[in-house]
């Protein structure tokens, strides 16, 4: 079974997210708040939302998801790729705000160690996500 993940991202980050997520998941790519809201149905297993999604509307999407009874249990993860441009204090602030609003956490792709095989950290991330989604499914059964 492929888990369905809504990926709310800037158009220029779509290629990277496809690389990060591989072909193990059924990805629904959205580049606007309206598109993401329309894609959110009960068969969505997870939401991955870029911090810079739709000109900074990540928090709008997070608030929408948590306000909707049918959606609030869907795991919501923020995704950041700052290439070291943001201070650790700013990144911590984003992470804290997300947690306060009910998100599961923040993946900072820029902090993932990329050795001579950049696919390795992404493979580990996908394995962790699949395990987390399977555990969530087991809890709901």
């Amino acid at each position: 079974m492929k888990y369905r993940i809504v990926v709310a991202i800037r158009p220029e980050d779509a290629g990277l997210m496809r690389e990060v997520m591989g072909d193990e998941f059924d990805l629904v790519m959205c580049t606007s708040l309206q598109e993401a809201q329309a894609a959110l149905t009960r068969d969505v297993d997870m939401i991955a939302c870029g911090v810079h999604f739709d000109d900074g509307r990540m928090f709008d999407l997070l608030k929408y998801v948590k306000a909707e009874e049918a959606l609030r249990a869907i795991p919501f993860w923020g995704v950041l790729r700052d290439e070291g441009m943001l201070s650790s204090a700013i990144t911590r602030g984003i992470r804290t705000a997300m947690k306060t609003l009910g998100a599961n956490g923040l993946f900072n792709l820029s902090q993932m160690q990329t050795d001579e095989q950049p696919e390795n950290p992404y493979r580990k991330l996908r394995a962790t996500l699949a395990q987390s989604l399977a555990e969530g499914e087991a809890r709901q059964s």
Side-chain angles (χ1 to χ4, degrees):
M1 171 191 148
K2 275 191 174 186
Y3 291 106
R4 174 172 238 154
I5 299 175
V6 167
V7 180
I9 203 84
R10 293 181 302 186
E12 60 267 31
D13 294 331
L16 173 67
M17 284 306 293
R18 282 191 179 86
E19 182 182 337
V20 169
M21 301 305 262
D23 58 4
E24 285 121 85
F25 302 103
D26 177 16
L27 302 180
V28 179
M29 300 297 239
C30 303
T31 58
S32 73
L33 181 61
Q34 293 77 18
E35 242 186 321
Q37 289 171 333
L40 290 171
T41 58
R42 290 180 186 262
D43 64 339
V44 170
D45 297 296
M46 189 183 100
I47 301 160
C49 185
V51 170
H52 303 291
F53 163 69
D54 197 6
D55 293 324
R57 299 193 72 194
M58 176 187 69
F59 290 116
D60 294 336
L61 181 59
L62 177 55
K63 288 176 188 175
Y64 171 80
V65 168
K66 296 306 173 184
E68 293 292 323
E69 178 80 29
L71 305 176
R72 77 173 52 123
I74 300 172
F76 189 108
W77 288 89
V79 180
L80 175 65
R81 180 175 163 213
D82 67 351
E83 302 298 337
M85 301 299 286
L86 300 177
S87 72
S88 59
I90 291 173
T91 304
R92 252 191 328 275
I94 293 168
R95 185 175 276 119
T96 300
M98 289 187 69
K99 293 289 258 182
T100 300
L101 292 172
N104 295 74
L106 176 70
F107 290 116
N108 189 339
L109 299 179
S110 298
Q111 290 179 341
M112 296 180 106
Q113 292 298 319
T114 54
D115 51 19
E116 56 283 343
Q117 294 186 318
E119 171 60 22
N120 287 340
Y122 298 155
R123 189 176 299 120
K124 290 176 190 168
L125 173 61
R126 290 191 299 269
T128 301
L129 287 177
Q131 180 180 350
S132 174
L133 290 168
E135 288 169 2
E137 236 178 36
R139 279 192 298 274
Q140 290 177 1
S141 301

